[in-house]
Amino acid sequence: MVRPCRYFAIHFILLRFLGLGWWHHPHENETRNYPGLYLYYSILTQLVWVVGLVGLETIDPFVGEKDMDRFMFSLSFVITHDLTLIKLYIFYFRNVEIQDIVRTIEIDLYRYYQNDDKIRATIRISRIFTAAFLFFGWVTIGNANIYGIVQDLRWKDIVKNLNETTSKPLRTLPQPIFIPWPYQEDKHYILTFILETMGLLWTGHIVMTIDTFIASVILHMSTQFAILREAIVTAYDRTMIALSEGALQSGVLCENSNGNEENNQIFLESFYSKEHIESVLESTLLSCIRQHQLLIGCVEKFSKTYSYGFMTQLLSSMAGICVVMVQVSQGASSFKSVRLVTSLAFFFAMVIQLAIQCFTGNELTIQAERIADAVMESKWEKMPVRLRRLLLVTMMRAQRPLHLTAAGFAYIDNTCFLSILKAAYSYYAVLSQKQG
């Protein structure tokens, strides 16, 4: 069966389309992310959709008079999209390090013991939650556009009943973005509506693609620890099976073995010298130890490379969730409001965005700690004392927790997720009291 490959194929396609680099799969042995004309495509798309849209979003809360509902909705977009620029910086200027991490997961670790079924299952899971998050993002943006259409229909109904001498109310767009040109007429309004929707879809897909890609990388590293655990637990048995295959070729084991493990070991010891058995077993254990060291180095490099990306995620999630909670509480009296539905969708999107990274980070820490349990299950009592020392060193290293950190301020795990929600609620309570 062909080994699994292209672990992050969907993310690489999205990253290429969004202008975040022509990401290459590890087996292509290529790390140039901006070849030829693609560099100009990347610059153009980022200037138009990222710099342009995020710049107009940033200006909007501080231009003109706005009601509190509109201001809070605008502020939530400013917080999430402005802080996302830090993630873009990491993807632009640290992409070589990220590609090296992907290569370690997909190529380097495959030189050791692997379980293709677990890898394929992880690929399926990462693709499922990526597709689900993208779909939820489309629903959120679609809700916002429905809200905009409903509001515009109401505006047209109001304007139709006005006298010619009465001034028209301002015609608004669904998203809180400052528009520097007049758009009150139908022709200009429709064009502006389309541009705004395309910009929001573009920046939204950037956020969702980056977050799901990072979560997928973490999930694959967790799977590699689970595979390593299996490798350590089965190390003794795999060595005995390998030696048995050699004995079977000579017919010794086939003639004398009755299938009992102890008897098989006795026959193996009669066929091979103890030094040879110990040497083969040592080779198997050293392979597991090297795999463990390579995996630890990969996690530490990833944590260092994306440390400020995690910090950005925590800050934007805490502030964004707080702001949206204030907005939702203001519209809670009208549960049929389209704006309330849009705010709730955006709230759940922010929570999911934080959860997928915290939950996968927590799983990574748990799987890394289970390596120590694997050592205890590795039939160490049947191994020579010299080899037990190797297992002891591995167990001692596994007992040191392996965490992803947000710039050294917090661990990315379930506790962090709950702490961010608690902090967001605390700030929401303070803001609500001041408004009251």
Side-chain angles (χ1 to χ4, degrees), residues 328-342 344:
V328 169
S329 65
Q330 290 176 345
S333 58
S334 176
F335 286 98
K336 294 182 180 180
S337 168
V338 181
R339 171 53 67 88
L340 178 60
V341 174
T342 302
L344 285 172

Side-chain angles (χ1 to χ4, degrees), residues 74-244:
S74 177
L75 190 61
S76 64
F77 273 82
V78 171
I79 292 170
T80 55
H81 286 171
D82 280 22
L83 289 176
T84 299
L85 295 176
I86 298 177
K87 295 181 183 179
L88 285 177
Y89 170 84
I90 295 173
F91 267 70
Y92 275 122
F93 298 102
R94 304 295 298 275
N95 60 71
V96 174
E97 289 89 338
I98 296 175
Q99 286 191 80
D100 188 51
I101 291 165
V102 171
R103 180 179 180 81
T104 299
I105 294 172
E106 193 167 338
I107 302 294
D108 297 343
L109 283 168
Y110 209 85
R111 297 168 184 165
Y112 301 95
Y113 178 88
Q114 290 294 300
N115 186 321
D116 288 350
D117 290 336
K118 287 187 177 181
I119 294 174
R120 289 191 179 94
T122 303
I123 294 172
R124 284 195 299 271
I125 292 170
S126 65
R127 289 177 178 176
I128 288 170
F129 73 64
T130 297
F133 194 34
L134 288 172
F135 177 75
F136 191 79
W138 297 337
V139 171
T140 304
I141 296 170
N143 275 332
N145 283 345
I146 291 172
Y147 169 80
I149 292 170
V150 170
Q151 289 295 98
D152 194 56
L153 291 175
R154 289 176 179 173
W155 178 86
K156 288 182 177 179
D157 189 56
I158 294 172
V159 169
K160 183 173 64 176
N161 298 322
L162 292 177
N163 297 325
E164 293 182 359
T165 56
T166 307
S167 60
K168 296 180 182 180
L170 185 65
R171 193 176 190 181
T172 59
L173 291 162
Q175 303 301 331
I177 299 175
F178 172 73
I179 304 298
W181 60 82
Y183 59 90
Q184 299 298 306
E185 299 297 328
D186 274 347
K187 182 174 69 173
H188 299 115
Y189 181 85
I190 293 172
L191 180 61
T192 305
F193 187 98
I194 293 172
L195 287 173
E196 183 187 69
T197 302
M198 288 180 64
L200 188 63
L201 282 169
W202 199 277
T203 55
H205 277 79
I206 287 176
V207 173
M208 292 184 290
T209 301
I210 289 176
D211 290 341
T212 54
F213 172 68
I214 293 301
S216 297
V217 171
I218 300 171
L219 195 61
H220 274 284
M221 290 191 295
S222 301
T223 299
Q224 287 298 325
F225 273 109
I227 291 172
L228 175 60
R229 182 176 183 274
E230 181 181 303
I232 294 174
V233 170
T234 62
Y236 182 84
D237 290 335
R238 287 187 293 115
T239 302
M240 294 301 108
I241 290 172
L243 291 171
S244 297

Side-chain angles (χ1 to χ4, degrees), residues 366-385:
I366 291 173
Q367 292 296 340
E369 289 175 348
R370 286 179 177 172
I371 298 300
D373 298 332
V375 172
M376 296 301 297
E377 301 171 15
S378 63
K379 297 184 178 180
W380 55 269
E381 69 279 0
K382 296 182 179 181
M383 301 181 191
V385 175

Side-chain angles (χ1 to χ4, degrees), residues 278-279 282 383-391:
E278 182 176 335
S279 175
E282 181 182 20
M383 301 181 191
V385 175
R386 184 172 65 86
L387 299 185
R388 293 179 190 178
R389 294 194 185 99
L390 295 177
L391 291 173

Side-chain angles (χ1 to χ4, degrees), residues 41-96:
Y41 170 80
S42 178
I43 293 173
L44 180 63
T45 54
Q46 302 315 304
L47 284 177
V48 173
W49 299 121
V50 178
V51 177
L53 187 79
V54 173
L56 294 175
E57 282 180 347
T58 305
I59 295 171
D60 184 76
F62 313 105
V63 176
E65 295 184 3
K66 294 178 177 60
D67 57 31
M68 183 56 67
D69 182 63
R70 174 94 180 173
F71 175 78
M72 297 304 286
F73 195 55
S74 177
L75 190 61
S76 64
F77 273 82
V78 171
I79 292 170
T80 55
H81 286 171
D82 280 22
L83 289 176
T84 299
L85 295 176
I86 298 177
K87 295 181 183 179
L88 285 177
Y89 170 84
I90 295 173
F91 267 70
Y92 275 122
F93 298 102
R94 304 295 298 275
N95 60 71
V96 174

